[in-house]
Amino acid sequence: MRAPALRPPPLLLQEKGRETVIPNRKVVHHRINRTLVSLLMLLTVACLTCFGSAYYLYTTRWDIRIVSPYSTSNAVSEVVVSDMDIDDTDFSKKYLTYLPHSGFHNQRIALENALLLSHLLRRTLLVPPILLGNKPLRYVEYNTLFRHHELSSKEGLGHCPGIPVYISLPVECLHYFETSYVPWTWLVDLSTLSAHQSLFHRPNMSQAWLHARFSITSTDVYVLRDDTPYQFRFLDTLGDSSPPTDKYQEDVYITELAAIPERLLQIGTLFGTSRLRLKNSDNIAYLEMVRRKMIFANLDLVAAADSISQSLHYSYLGVHLRSGDGKFKTAIGTTVKAIWWNILHSMLNFSLAQICDVENKILGDMSACMNSDMKHIVTVNSNAFPPNSSWPLAYKGPCRWSRHREQKYDLLNTPIYVATDLQFPETHPEMLIMRQTFPCLFFLADFKKEITPLEKLVSPYDGVGLGQFVLPFVDGLVLGKAVNVVGTEGSTFSKFVKEVLWNNYTASVLD
């Protein structure tokens, strides 16, 4: 064995004592050093250039061009008061705003109350946007709710909608698409109210926006802080007072609010159908007008609802069944049975004996007839079908199950559209009594062709797709066009459908 041949060390590492063996050693030495220095400089510049380019591409990777939010075809009276209608230099202007919370219909009721208050106080109402989503801001005391609104703002996250689907969302965008903001004018037509009061639609709930837009500082704000959801009630008549048994804790007279000198009156919650205690007939009439103006007017939603109604030949009954949370979830069985009774007795005009026959022959059950407690839920309805009416049978389209063939059960074949938050209602065990009795039940999921265009809707405020959030509005519009409607006791949605959407459509048909 022999050792491997030794290689001479690199020129830069050779010992000085050995430099004599290399001819022209100084020339070679300096030439190599210059070459290495140049190479190192080149690598350094290339590294810095690559890093700078990568940083630029990273920071601008999801930049998107902001499109005017009101250039889409589904805009409806987009802005009641535009930016140019507000004089930023007029410091005599006074404003009112509040903190919305909870689901859509709680937000709607709060807006109705705010519209009347601002009208009576002669203040411009700074209207909060609608918060849509399955995770609404629940009510908490004022300071906490205020912070929740600040933290839920989407300012600075405009890049989130532009992230390609094949790229993982960054941390700041993980919950971006769970909620969306839209202006109230996207959904309802408030143009009529502009003749009576001044409105300005806030793009967000940020205090920084208030300061930047209206130069409002903390000294310009009077805050009416609430610690409980029913702390303040607003009264329009001096000397009037809430009953001692009332759920509201403090009475606040509107004339006292009118004397507040601060430019901005900031209120906490305004939810509650009895939040305003009104005695003045003009004020009562104005609030009624405001409520009637809450009809959904978005053209895309209306078109989808019209298509569904047309598919059912406009000859169907409407049912709103709320079951998703709280007391509604625990009472779902009772609610379904109450709706069943109301359809038979109050809408189809079945006598109690006929209802017992249905339970006996079709359901094989006589429990409801034997249960006297069920009789108190039956409400007399002047819009019930006349006996042996033939018009419900105008619908000849397909049904989910086989129609009843006996003539005495013909009315049970009437189409019924059910709007519900119940998952899989077509198979849910609590819906068994409805499925066995009414073969022509329909749900929103049965009309995929009609609702598919809604998947293209995008919020003008945050760029989030609205298809997943607007389906309850379509449900409401379809119910509004029904021949008659029955809802869930205690549901604000049921009350809104019956008193606003359905009454409005019925009145327009009669006109």
Side-chain angles (χ1 to χ4, degrees):
M1 297 180 66
R2 60 183 180 182
L6 296 176
R7 295 182 180 181
L11 295 178
L12 292 178
L13 300 178
Q14 291 180 4
E15 298 179 7
K16 292 183 178 180
R18 296 184 179 180
E19 290 180 359
T20 56
V21 301
I22 303 176
N24 302 323
R25 59 183 176 81
K26 291 185 178 180
V27 176
V28 175
H29 178 78
H30 290 304
R31 184 181 300 160
I32 294 176
N33 279 346
R34 285 197 300 270
T35 303
L36 289 174
V37 170
S38 300
L39 181 60
L40 289 174
M41 291 181 64
L42 180 62
L43 291 174
T44 302
V45 172
C47 181
L48 292 175
T49 302
C50 291
F51 177 80
S53 300
Y55 180 77
Y56 173 79
L57 292 174
Y58 177 79
T59 55
T60 62
R61 64 200 188 280
W62 294 311
D63 281 356
I64 56 174
R65 180 173 63 92
I66 302 300
V67 181
S68 174
Y70 303 116
S71 62
T72 56
S73 62
N74 57 25
V76 179
S77 304
E78 295 300 351
V79 180
V80 176
V81 179
S82 68
D83 288 353
M84 293 184 293
D85 295 324
I86 295 292
D87 185 0
D88 298 335
T89 62
D90 186 359
F91 290 94
S92 64
K93 282 275 188 179
K94 291 186 176 182
Y95 307 94
L96 181 146
T97 194
Y98 62 98
L99 300 180
H101 60 84
S102 304
F104 167 77
H105 288 284
N106 287 16
Q107 296 178 57
R108 173 185 57 79
I109 293 170
L111 174 63
E112 294 170 355
N113 292 335
L115 285 167
L116 178 60
L117 267 183
S118 59
H119 171 67
L120 296 178
L121 296 174
R122 301 297 186 266
R123 288 177 175 263
T124 296
L125 178 60
L126 303 180
V127 184
I130 307 173
L131 175 59
L132 301 176
N134 298 322
K135 295 182 179 180
L137 294 177
R138 64 181 181 86
Y139 172 81
V140 285
E141 51 86 22
Y142 177 87
N143 290 335
T144 304
L145 184 57
F146 184 88
R147 288 195 298 271
H148 285 178
H149 275 289
E150 288 282 348
L151 294 174
S152 64
S153 172
K154 294 189 176 184
E155 290 183 285
L157 299 177
H159 60 278
C160 294
I163 300 174
V165 294
Y166 52 82
I167 295 179
S168 298
L169 291 176
V171 175
E172 71 271 17
C173 298
L174 290 179
H175 302 290
Y176 186 89
F177 300 94
E178 294 180 354
T179 59
S180 182
Y181 292 94
V182 294
W184 275 95
T185 47
W186 182 90
L187 182 63
V188 299
D189 184 359
L190 299 178
S191 58
T192 303
L193 294 176
S194 63
H196 302 276
Q197 60 184 119
S198 178
L199 309 178
F200 192 93
H201 294 268
R202 303 180 60 167
N204 56 61
M205 297 299 293
S206 168
Q207 287 297 105
W209 176 85
L210 278 177
H211 176 71
R213 188 64 185 77
F214 300 105
S215 301
I216 293 177
T217 63
S218 58
T219 58
D220 299 321
V221 182
Y222 182 93
V223 181
L224 195 62
R225 289 182 172 84
D226 47 60
D227 297 318
T228 63
Y230 299 106
Q231 182 167 348
F232 299 115
R233 189 182 212 182
F234 302 96
L235 295 79
D236 68 348
T237 304
L238 291 174
D240 184 30
S241 61
S242 298
T245 57
D246 197 89
K247 60 184 175 182
Y248 293 94
Q249 301 172 7
E250 300 180 40
D251 287 343
V252 178
Y253 293 97
I254 296 176
T255 52
E256 296 175 352
L257 295 179
I260 294 174
E262 282 79 3
R263 293 178 62 204
L264 176 64
L265 172 57
Q266 171 71 67
I267 301 177
T269 179
L270 278 178
F271 165 71
T273 53
S274 57
R275 175 76 58 178
L276 305 179
R277 183 176 168 90
L278 305 176
K279 296 295 184 179
N280 185 288
S281 58
D282 292 337
N283 297 341
I284 295 173
Y286 192 87
L287 183 59
E288 288 299 318
M289 181 193 71
V290 167
R291 288 175 174 169
R292 290 195 301 270
K293 296 303 178 183
M294 292 294 114
I295 300 165
F296 304 150
N298 182 282
L299 299 181
D300 294 294
L301 304 183
V302 171
D306 284 343
S307 296
I308 295 174
S309 298
Q310 186 177 15
S311 299
L312 297 176
H313 301 173
Y314 301 102
S315 57
Y316 60 95
L317 299 178
V319 169
H320 174 242
L321 172 61
R322 181 175 176 182
S323 63
D325 57 354
K327 63 180 182 180
F328 300 105
K329 186 174 183 179
T330 58
I332 179 62
T334 303
T335 301
V336 171
K337 199 62 178 288
I339 289 173
W340 181 85
W341 266 82
N342 273 298
I343 292 173
L344 291 174
H345 187 68
S346 302
M347 293 183 176
L348 300 182
N349 223 12
F350 276 42
S351 66
L352 293 181
Q354 289 175 309
I355 295 176
C356 290
D357 176 66
V358 169
E359 283 203 303
N360 183 34
K361 295 293 181 63
I362 298 178
L363 306 180
D365 180 19
M366 291 286 288
S367 59
C369 286
M370 301 300 295
N371 186 357
S372 58
D373 292 337
M374 290 299 298
K375 295 181 181 180
H376 77 279
I377 67 174
V378 178
T379 58
V380 177
N381 194 319
S382 59
N383 297 308
F385 299 152
N388 301 320
S389 173
S390 61
W391 78 259
L393 304 182
Y395 174 75
K396 300 299 183 181
C399 291
R400 187 177 299 272
W401 300 282
S402 299
R403 287 179 169 87
H404 298 290
R405 297 186 179 279
E406 294 185 55
Q407 184 177 1
K408 63 178 180 179
Y409 300 137
D410 275 348
L411 286 177
L412 301 182
N413 297 323
T414 301
I416 299 177
Y417 182 88
V418 181
T420 180
D421 54 359
L422 195 67
Q423 289 190 339
F424 310 111
E426 64 276 6
T427 58
H428 197 283
E430 295 291 355
M431 290 288 290
L432 178 62
I433 187 174
M434 295 288 289
R435 294 195 297 268
Q436 291 178 326
T437 308
F438 308 110
C440 297
L441 288 182
F442 296 92
F443 308 95
L444 186 61
D446 298 324
F447 302 93
K448 293 182 180 179
K449 183 181 72 173
E450 287 79 4
I451 63 177
T452 296
L454 302 180
E455 297 175 1
K456 299 179 181 179
L457 296 181
V458 176
S459 166
Y461 276 174
D462 54 31
V464 174
L466 298 175
Q468 59 181 322
F469 304 131
V470 299
L471 296 183
F473 300 145
V474 178
D475 265 339
L477 286 169
V478 176
L479 294 180
K481 295 178 181 296
V483 174
N484 207 346
V485 179
V486 60
T488 300
E489 183 69 26
S491 168
T492 53
F493 186 19
S494 293
K495 185 176 181 180
F496 173 73
V497 166
K498 184 70 175 181
E499 297 182 357
V500 178
L501 298 181
W502 187 82
N503 278 341
N504 173 76
Y505 181 73
T506 303
S508 64
V509 170
L510 293 176
D511 290 341

